Amino acid sequence: VGSEMCIRDRDGKKKEKFMDTFNILKGHFVTLFDELSTKGKVELIIEDEENLWESGVEIRVRLSEKNFLDIKSLSGGEKTITAVAFIFAVQEFNPASFYVFDEIDAALDIMNCEKLGKLIRKNAHKAQYVVVSHSEHFIQSAQTIYGVTMDKNKISGVLSLDLKDMTSYVDKEAANIDE
């Protein structure tokens, strides 16, 4: 009986810790989704709280006043925004120091590219981000840009541009044009 109570007590603490973690993650997810999305609400739901250890977690998004949709029913851009919000929610809870995203912005329109770029720039003090992108709207948020070029002999070269101090350069060039 004593060991049975100890196991029940340990299981209770394990469930309490899991639910505390889940609720923190859920809060971060909702906040980040609201920051990235101009429309809709998101929910993170445990499919069966009675069977917590055999259950899954479901992401649902409501893009209008209608019902919540499963993530599989969303467009490519909507899926991207939802997935990015979830990744950054996990980062808020348990951050890594380095992230690599390959064309994460491919399915996004201009406005959402800019929002994603701002989110990454806002979090750049917490981690290093390497992002492959072809979107000028996304690249504008970068601190450093690397480009790969190929010469006539098909030899690749790497160029880099530090954008941290480019604001003052652009302002000076604009002043020269106005004169």
Side-chain angles (χ1 to χ4, degrees), residues 32 37 71 82 85 92 102 104-105 111 148-149 154 164 175:
L32 285 159
S37 178
I71 195 163
T82 305
E92 283 291 316
D102 186 12
I104 193 173
D105 59 327
M111 181 180 67
V148 178
T149 62
K154 299 193 179 201
K164 291 177 198 148

Side-chain angles (χ1 to χ4, degrees), residues 1-174:
V1 174
S3 63
E4 198 173 297
M5 282 184 57
C6 183
I7 291 171
R8 255 188 270 134
D9 185 46
R10 190 169 285 176
D11 284 346
K13 287 179 182 178
K14 186 168 67 169
K15 182 177 181 178
E16 183 181 325
K17 180 69 173 169
F18 176 86
M19 290 307 297
D20 288 346
T21 302
F22 177 80
N23 288 326
I24 291 168
L25 180 63
K26 181 178 178 177
H28 291 316
F29 182 46
V30 168
T31 300
L32 285 159
F33 184 85
D34 288 346
E35 186 176 328
L36 287 172
S37 178
T38 56
K39 58 181 183 176
K41 296 291 176 198
V42 71
E43 285 186 351
L44 192 60
I45 299 168
I46 297 173
E47 292 173 340
D48 182 5
E49 285 193 41
E50 296 302 316
N51 296 309
L52 193 59
W53 310 126
E54 285 86 41
S55 183
V57 174
E58 185 177 351
I59 295 174
R60 289 193 212 159
V61 181
R62 183 173 62 207
L63 298 174
S64 64
E65 295 301 317
K66 296 182 182 180
N67 298 334
F68 278 91
L69 301 171
D70 183 84
I71 195 163
K72 292 176 241 167
S73 304
L74 303 176
S75 72
E78 294 162 345
K79 285 179 184 176
T80 299
I81 291 297
T82 305
V84 166
F86 188 76
I87 289 168
F88 276 82
V90 171
Q91 179 192 5
E92 283 291 316
F93 183 77
N94 188 11
S97 58
F98 191 80
Y99 294 87
V100 177
F101 295 121
D102 186 12
E103 295 189 33
I104 193 173
D105 59 327
L108 299 179
D109 60 15
I110 292 169
M111 181 180 67
N112 286 319
C113 277
E114 290 172 349
K115 284 183 176 186
L116 178 57
K118 287 177 184 174
L119 178 66
I120 290 175
R121 188 170 187 106
K122 182 176 101 175
N123 285 282
H125 70 282
K126 299 177 189 176
Q128 184 174 8
Y129 294 87
V130 174
V131 182
V132 176
S133 177
H134 299 284
S135 168
E136 65 185 74
H137 305 285
F138 185 77
I139 292 171
Q140 290 173 1
S141 297
Q143 292 177 345
T144 305
I145 299 173
Y146 296 94
V148 178
T149 62
M150 188 177 295
D151 68 15
K152 63 184 179 191
N153 297 319
K154 299 193 179 201
I155 297 173
S156 297
V158 177
L159 303 171
S160 68
L161 180 61
D162 186 350
L163 299 179
K164 291 177 198 148
D165 298 322
M166 289 302 286
T167 315
S168 61
Y169 174 78
V170 171
D171 292 341
K172 287 177 188 174
E173 287 299 311

